[in-house]
Amino acid sequence: MANVANALLSLDVDAVRKDFPILHQEVGGKPLIYLDNAASSQKPRAVVEAIANYYYRDHANVHRGVHELARRATEAYEGSRERVARWLNAADAHEIVWTRGTSEALNLLAFSLGQGLREGDEVVVSEMEHHSNLVPWQMAAERTGARLRYVELTADGRLDLDQLASLLGGRTRVVALSHVSNALGTINPVEEIAGLVRERTGAVLILDGAQGAPHLKVDVQALGCDAYAFSGHKMCGPTGMGGLWARRSLLESMPPYQGGGEMIARVFKDHSTWAEVPHKFEAGTPNVAGAVGMAAAVDYLEAVGLDQIHDHEQLLTRRAMELLGQVEGLTILGPADARGRAGVIPFVVDGTTAQDIATILDSEGVAVRAGHHCAQLVVDRYGLTATTRASFYLYNTLEEVERLGQVVDMAARMLRG
Ligand code: 7TS
């Protein structure tokens, strides 16, 4: 349904919404308002159909067969890699490794790069990391005797860059930070950080792009990082699919992550040699349909325009911060200025629990998440145990944001009695 407020938006949200069948339903008798996009986004018809058509017409195993379907499947799989490489402005499609998502991409790095860590080496992470960019490094440190150093957070949810600079030095081997925080909404100044890392260390800079790639135009070469991890399901693509971009020289220098079919050059009784990158890191029959879905998701996002998506989310974020700011006893975590943040709004309301607020929102059809959002160090840092989090994407409307404001206000009054 078109409405006047939506005419202010930088993209045609009514047209966009038509592409997402799942949005057009009622839950508990109320229209669904889906504001849990940081956890997972919904899928446009074009992505679902690309995956279905691949299975209906083209499926076979890749790289091995000489028959027509094997050729088509291989072309679809490798063609999707090229599409994703162009989207990220990678120098070369061989720099894209398909993974199950961000978590697997970061585990691959922590395992493979971790083989080169020694006692006394330092891995710099931050207090705002998702557990996916923390636990694998803790495991690598445990195996090798390397030490984790933490970038601390400012009161308004930013990385303390002075303190970060003081951590960087000759022992720093890896710096692993999020591009955008899922628990605070902060967009980190990653180009500036890359400059600091280059100036002071020879370390590998890894960015967790789970919340960056779906919402911002990403040019991995301009960002100045060495590796960038992303998940399909947060960017209109399929679940269980994602990837890792890394500089070719870095991929070539790392040992494989898993052994099996497709990742070898030659197998002998006592050892094996490895396939060229990226196949060295892709053991076993891959998620071909997932790759097809990823390429369709990138086509979709680029057709709408990542700048338009960001502008749209900025508008929704500003309005949501205005409305939620009027709710008595409500505090929003993260930067006070909407320009420094993505469309992720974590908040707490005095005298209520995050779970109770989310439950009342659900009873009104509004889907949000409550908890620590797999970033326990963030809630610890601010003396909390949980927040309620609303997160926006390209199909959310100003009307939905207004409704969020109303329902949170109602819930806060109800719960305080
Ligand atoms: N890094 C960040 C910054 C994330 O937000 C997430 C998922 C991950 C890594 C892991 O991604 P995955 O696709 O491998 O699971 N974040 C969330 C969230 O905020 N709520 O549910 C999942």
Side-chain angles (χ1 to χ4, degrees), residues 38-39 101-103 130 132 180 182 208 210-211 231 233-234 369 389:
T102 303
S103 298
H130 187 281
S132 290
V180 173
N182 71 314
D208 169 350
Q211 303 289 347
S231 292
H233 70 98
K234 294 189 199 287
R369 185 172 173 193
R389 181 186 69 183

Side-chain angles (χ1 to χ4, degrees), residues 14-94:
D14 296 314
V16 166
R17 290 179 71 81
K18 292 200 179 96
D19 297 332
F20 292 82
I22 202 170
L23 298 176
H24 307 281
Q25 62 176 299
E26 294 193 342
V27 288
K30 307 279 165 75
L32 169 67
I33 298 183
Y34 187 78
L35 303 181
D36 194 19
N37 294 287
S40 201
S41 75
Q42 300 302 345
K43 320 301 167 201
R45 213 175 243 117
V47 168
V48 179
E49 284 171 2
I51 294 168
N53 288 336
Y54 164 75
Y55 278 129
Y56 287 147
R57 295 197 303 240
D58 301 325
H59 175 68
N61 211 326
V62 291
H63 299 139
R64 347 186 167 207
V66 289
H67 57 82
E68 169 67 16
L69 292 191
R71 264 196 304 277
R72 278 194 229 157
T74 303
E75 266 167 35
Y77 184 65
E78 294 303 333
S80 297
R81 195 192 305 275
E82 281 165 23
R83 180 69 186 92
V84 164
R86 277 204 308 285
W87 164 62
L88 292 175
N89 194 31
D92 178 344
H94 292 90

Side-chain angles (χ1 to χ4, degrees), residues 296-318:
V298 168
D299 283 345
Y300 186 83
L301 292 176
E302 288 199 333
V304 177
L306 279 144
D307 288 339
Q308 281 74 9
I309 293 172
H310 178 63
D311 289 349
H312 177 72
E313 290 171 4
Q314 281 275 296
L315 200 91
L316 300 181
T317 302
R318 275 200 299 277

Side-chain angles (χ1 to χ4, degrees), residues 19 25 57 59 106 167 175 236 245 257 320 326 351 363:
D19 297 332
Q25 62 176 299
R57 295 197 303 240
H59 175 68
L106 294 169
L167 293 178
V175 178
C236 296
W245 166 81
Y257 170 51
Q326 291 163 16
S363 71

Side-chain angles (χ1 to χ4, degrees), residues 94-95 246-254 277 280-281:
H94 292 90
E95 295 186 335
R247 290 184 199 284
R248 190 168 185 156
S249 56
L250 176 63
L251 289 176
E252 283 172 347
S253 72
M254 294 194 304
V277 299
K280 177 171 88 172
F281 295 104

